[in-house]
Amino acid sequence: MYVGQFKASQLVDRLEAAAKARQAAVARFRARPSAADPIVLARQSARRAVIQAREVRVNEREMARLAATAQHEAEALAAREREAAEAARQAAEKVERLAALAAEQKAARDARFAARKARARW
């Protein structure tokens, strides 16, 4: 029978502890400063300042990232333009070489033809 009393006292103890915890929570809630309290207002303004500073840093990082991306794209475009100019220069040189070779071949062919004509006249 003692066991039943022991269990009952444990239940009562738990109920009392729960009631005290609820009362303590209510007391903490009521002890909170109001929204117009200078300390609360100071904390809120400090939080706003931190948030604004964070937003400024985020914006600065984003602008730096965009500037770096634009710089990279500009460098890539300049490199492509240099490559295209080099390719055009090489193509022009090749055309000149081919034209010079064709002229040399024509001159050699004309010289052979003239020599053959000269031999035929004698």
Side-chain angles (χ1 to χ4, degrees):
M1 308 277 182
Y2 179 72
V3 174
Q5 289 175 351
F6 182 70
K7 287 184 180 179
S9 67
Q10 272 187 338
L11 177 64
V12 169
D13 291 340
R14 284 197 315 260
L15 290 175
E16 287 176 1
K20 285 180 185 178
R22 278 194 300 275
Q23 287 174 354
V26 168
R28 278 194 311 272
F29 180 77
R30 288 186 179 155
R32 276 186 355 179
S34 68
D37 190 12
I39 295 173
V40 172
L41 294 175
R43 284 183 191 158
Q44 287 176 348
S45 65
R47 284 184 188 136
R48 276 192 226 108
V50 168
I51 290 170
Q52 288 174 350
R54 183 179 303 128
E55 288 174 356
V56 166
R57 288 191 309 271
V58 166
N59 289 338
E60 287 174 353
R61 280 195 302 267
E62 181 67 17
M63 293 301 289
R65 185 187 65 77
L66 290 174
T69 301
Q71 175 79 18
H72 180 68
E73 289 176 0
E75 289 172 358
L77 178 62
R80 284 194 301 267
E81 288 175 355
R82 282 192 303 271
E83 290 172 1
E86 179 65 19
R89 185 188 61 78
Q90 288 176 351
E93 286 179 0
K94 185 176 180 180
V95 167
E96 285 180 22
R97 282 194 312 269
L98 291 175
L101 179 63
E104 287 175 19
Q105 289 174 346
K106 183 176 181 333
R109 189 173 52 247
D110 289 346
R112 285 193 310 269
F113 181 73
R116 195 170 40 234
K117 284 282 207 173
R119 278 193 306 260
R121 285 189 194 158
W122 286 95

